[in-house]
Amino acid sequence: MTRYFTQDHEWIEVEGDTATVGITDYAQSQLGDIVFVEVPGEGAAVTKGDEAAVVESVKAASDVYSPVSGTVIEGNPALEDDPALVNSAPEGDGWFFKLTIADAGELDGLMDGSAYKDFVAGL
Amino acid sequence: MRYLPLTDSDRAAMLSVIGAPDVDALFTDVAAEQYLKQPIEGLPAHASEMAVERHMRRLSNKNLAAGDAAFFCGAGAYRHHVPATVDHLIQRGEFLTAYTPYQPEIAQGTLQMLFEFQSQVARLYGCAVANASMYDGSTACWEAISMAGRVTKRNLAILHEGLHPHYVSTIRTMAKFTGDSIADRAPSLQADGGIGELIAEIEANEPSCVVVQYPDVLGRVYDLSPIAEAAHAKGALLIAVNTEPVALGALRSPGEMGADIVVGEGQSLGVGLQFGGPYLGLFAVRDPKHVRQMPGRLCGETVDAEGKRGFVLTLSTREQHIRREKATSNICTNSGLCALAFTIHLTLLGEAGLRALAAENHRLACVAADRLAKVPGVKVLNDSFFNEFTILLPTDARPVVRDLAHRNVLAGVSLGRLYPAEEQLSHGLVIAVTETASEEDIETLASALEESIR
């Protein structure tokens, strides 16, 4: 299992040709209290860099972009009733969706954990 | 932020920063022929305050005001007595000029008012949650249909025949841009409102929602339970529409009867007729699970960093000021000041007061219905009503209404006016009787009607 990060503060954990996507702890801390998350449904096609989900806090609404292209296997059903999971466990139970990766080559150029840490430190 | 007019040098400085030669350059997407190059003909560039007042008074004297006649017009907007306290309180600077409630740090008063308003609407409607208000009843109705589409992933709305035709027009206007299918029909003149036919229509289709007005445009009142059951059996939502909130001081709430979304016009409480607006849209959902699909804004109770009770707007960031073209709703206007007036009026009434007000409205309407039934040639259509009912005249009602206006009686809203294309309805006249009508007014109406149709 390998975890990558994007400059838009998404994380993607890859296992074979499937992956789980969410937003980082830094992203949730910037958003504040999250009140609503809209995740893509099973079978939805997502494209690298395009909007795949929406996250709303009391002060802002943001699009979440898919780090890679692929087909959604599952949106996180727990977020409908408990969107605050994204605040409490952004890089765990607060995941957004799982997908089948269309082209593993799209993972090239994403950051690893330490590179992302440096990236955030420079913001 | 101070609100001071800009000087020419302020404007020049701003234009130079953004690199525009003049203000007109900011409006290049407006067709040139729409530009106002000259003063409007007949409109002086300047007039004294006294001269303007005099002119306006001359114009307003041409009107027959609701308060200067025996008044029985309703059909979606109602004349009620609004206590003087309401107008006084809403003009306090803390409310009238309060900064936008999006900043909870400085708007706790406004937010608390909205929270109270939501609580009142939810109780009145028999729902779990109400939002912080909408633009008006008709647009709230459209937003409910739009929400039902999001919830059910379907796009057919079945409208009951008793839905106000202006609401139907608003829905049709909006549906033009969304591709939703709208099934509507003009009212039948049946006392039972053709509910059996409505249920058959629900069963024969796969609707996203069924929209029923309660009481309806002709004043008819139905038990919504069987309609709710039929809708739910088909996986559809029942949207109940109320244009007269005072009725809910006497009638069972739509939420209690299984309506999933309840919307309506709140103008009756706190807001005057005001020549047709601004009014107040109300929007509530029975089941808390639908909260996240609601349009508009919700005010929620929370705690601040020190653990003290406070209020905050939530689920509002999906709306147009933030999400632009991706906003949940098309019309997410919040009628804050009208909502405040509604809340103050309802607070002054209290539960017992609202019940008493509703009882008085119904009593007077019964007096009027009984009296008008005695007018030769007049038939009362309804077998159920709250403070509004429909009578059938032996002739087209439109000229009768005009004739009565000359006798200082504003007799109601003719169906010919509401449904100009439906000849079979032209004899109908919708009569609203609120606490502002005296029994003497009712007698004036009846005898004027007798003379007019003789």
Side-chain angles (χ1 to χ4, degrees):
Chain A
M1 291 211 291
T2 325
R3 191 172 281 226
Y4 302 93
F5 296 85
T6 71
Q7 295 197 349
D8 298 315
H9 309 285
E10 290 97 14
W11 56 265
I12 176 165
E13 180 147 314
V14 181
E15 200 176 352
D17 65 347
T18 65
T20 306
V21 175
I23 65 169
T24 64
D25 186 47
Y26 174 81
Q28 73 77 22
S29 71
Q30 292 297 302
L31 283 163
D33 289 344
I34 288 164
V35 292
F36 182 75
V37 180
E38 190 183 330
V39 293
E42 183 191 347
V46 291
T47 309
K48 181 182 169 81
D50 281 3
E51 299 147 21
V54 179
V55 58
E56 295 178 23
S57 73
V58 293
K59 288 245 171 176
S62 306
D63 291 318
V64 175
Y65 307 101
S66 188
V68 295
S69 306
T71 308
V72 174
I73 304 166
E74 185 189 12
N76 185 351
L79 297 185
E80 189 174 354
D81 289 329
D82 192 7
L85 271 176
V86 179
N87 289 123
S88 57
E91 299 189 27
D93 289 346
W95 58 275
F96 277 46
F97 59 93
K98 296 184 161 126
L99 79 163
T100 311
I101 299 173
D103 173 9
E106 288 184 342
L107 294 164
D108 298 344
L110 297 180
M111 294 176 273
D112 64 11
S114 67
Y116 178 69
K117 207 167 159 182
D118 294 345
F119 170 71
V120 168
L123 291 175
Chain B
M1 175 172 183
R2 290 176 305 162
Y3 292 93
L4 298 173
L6 298 170
T7 63
D8 285 342
S9 63
D10 289 335
R11 270 188 284 268
M14 287 191 282
L15 287 167
S16 79
V17 168
I18 58 177
D22 52 30
V23 172
D24 281 358
L26 305 176
F27 295 95
T28 48
D29 52 346
V30 176
E33 63 268 20
Q34 304 292 340
Y35 279 36
L36 204 58
K37 291 289 188 205
Q38 281 83 33
I40 297 168
E41 205 178 324
L43 188 72
H46 169 268
S48 73
E49 190 173 341
M50 272 201 307
V52 172
E53 271 182 14
R54 211 175 295 132
H55 179 72
M56 290 303 196
R57 195 175 313 283
R58 266 204 300 274
L59 290 179
S60 74
N61 283 344
K62 294 180 174 179
N63 293 333
L64 176 54
D68 295 334
F71 186 80
F72 298 94
C73 301
Y78 302 89
R79 180 171 182 245
H80 287 285
H81 172 71
V82 177
T85 321
V86 174
D87 264 359
H88 181 77
L89 287 177
I90 67 170
Q91 289 181 63
R92 287 186 60 109
E94 301 93 322
F95 285 127
L96 197 60
T97 60
Y99 190 60
T100 163
Y102 299 109
Q103 308 297 346
E105 304 85 349
I106 52 173
Q108 284 301 303
T110 301
L111 286 163
Q112 179 161 4
M113 175 289 277
L114 288 172
F115 190 78
E116 303 292 351
F117 166 81
Q118 289 173 182
S119 307
Q120 288 174 325
V121 174
R123 289 195 64 179
L124 209 54
Y125 278 180
C127 285
V129 191
N131 76 9
S133 82
M134 309 285 288
Y135 176 65
D136 73 355
S138 68
T139 49
C141 185
W142 161 254
E143 290 298 344
I145 290 171
S146 185
M147 174 180 153
R150 289 195 294 275
V151 170
T152 62
K153 311 268 194 290
R154 298 179 188 170
N155 69 348
L156 166 67
I158 296 177
L159 315 186
H160 178 244
E161 61 164 64
L163 181 60
H164 196 298
H166 296 175
Y167 285 45
V168 177
S169 301
T170 303
I171 292 162
R172 287 219 158 275
T173 300
M174 298 307 294
K176 250 190 264 179
F177 303 100
T178 62
D180 285 83
S181 306
I182 308 295
D184 67 291
R185 57 177 73 169
S188 64
L189 296 174
Q190 308 171 80
D192 74 354
I195 295 298
E197 292 153 45
L198 176 72
I199 288 173
E201 193 178 358
I202 296 166
E203 285 166 352
N205 289 285
E206 297 285 322
S208 61
C209 62
V210 185
V211 185
V212 183
Q213 189 176 318
Y214 169 88
D216 82 357
V217 70
L218 303 186
R220 300 170 298 192
V221 182
Y222 321 102
D223 180 0
L224 298 178
S225 313
I227 309 170
E229 272 167 45
H232 296 160
K234 291 294 287 195
L237 301 187
L238 172 61
I239 297 170
V241 181
N242 168 269
T243 61
E244 171 53 299
V246 174
L248 300 173
L251 302 173
R252 279 179 74 198
S253 69
E256 275 176 87
M257 291 182 280
D260 301 283
I261 309 176
V262 187
V263 293
E265 178 54 64
Q267 169 274 330
S268 276
L269 290 167
V271 185
L273 288 168
Q274 302 188 148
F275 221 72
Y279 282 178
L280 168 67
L282 309 179
F283 195 114
V285 295
R286 179 174 50 91
D287 188 334
K289 77 166 185 250
H290 288 143
V291 162
R292 294 175 205 286
Q293 294 290 352
M294 275 171 94
R297 307 146 183 70
L298 270 166
C299 178
E301 189 184 312
T302 182
V303 289
D304 70 5
E306 293 166 7
K308 292 194 198 117
R309 180 188 190 218
F311 301 95
V312 64
L313 278 191
T314 184
L315 294 170
S316 62
T317 49
R318 64 197 47 206
E319 294 303 9
Q320 286 167 358
H321 57 291
I322 292 176
R323 295 283 285 164
R324 306 275 171 165
E325 72 281 359
K326 293 186 202 148
T328 306
S329 67
N330 299 98
I331 308 131
C332 60
T333 304
N334 174 259
S335 307
L337 202 66
C338 294
L340 175 67
F342 176 99
T343 285
I344 295 171
H345 190 173
L346 199 47
T347 305
L348 289 167
L349 284 168
E351 279 188 46
L354 178 66
R355 269 198 296 275
L357 177 65
E360 179 62 2
N361 271 251
H362 184 59
R363 184 188 73 79
L364 284 162
C366 290
V367 169
D370 290 346
R371 176 64 185 87
L372 292 170
K374 293 195 182 87
V375 175
V378 171
K379 178 175 173 288
V380 175
L381 171 92
N382 301 55
D383 55 17
S384 65
F385 59 83
F386 168 62
N387 67 353
E388 188 167 33
F389 55 87
T390 300
I391 60 174
L392 298 171
L393 305 182
T395 60
D396 187 327
R398 274 167 291 191
V400 177
V401 169
R402 276 194 294 274
D403 179 46
L404 263 59
H406 292 301
R407 302 165 193 257
N408 238 29
V409 178
L410 292 167
V413 180
S414 66
L415 290 186
R417 183 190 178 105
L418 289 174
Y419 301 94
E422 307 289 339
E423 191 48 43
Q424 76 284 6
L425 301 177
S426 63
H427 292 204
L429 179 60
V430 183
I431 292 183
V433 192
T434 72
E435 77 286 353
T436 60
S438 64
E439 297 200 24
E440 195 184 343
D441 289 338
I442 293 168
E443 189 49 48
T444 305
L445 167 68
S447 44
L449 191 60
E450 262 164 20
E451 281 173 40
S452 184
I453 62 179
R454 188 178 296 154

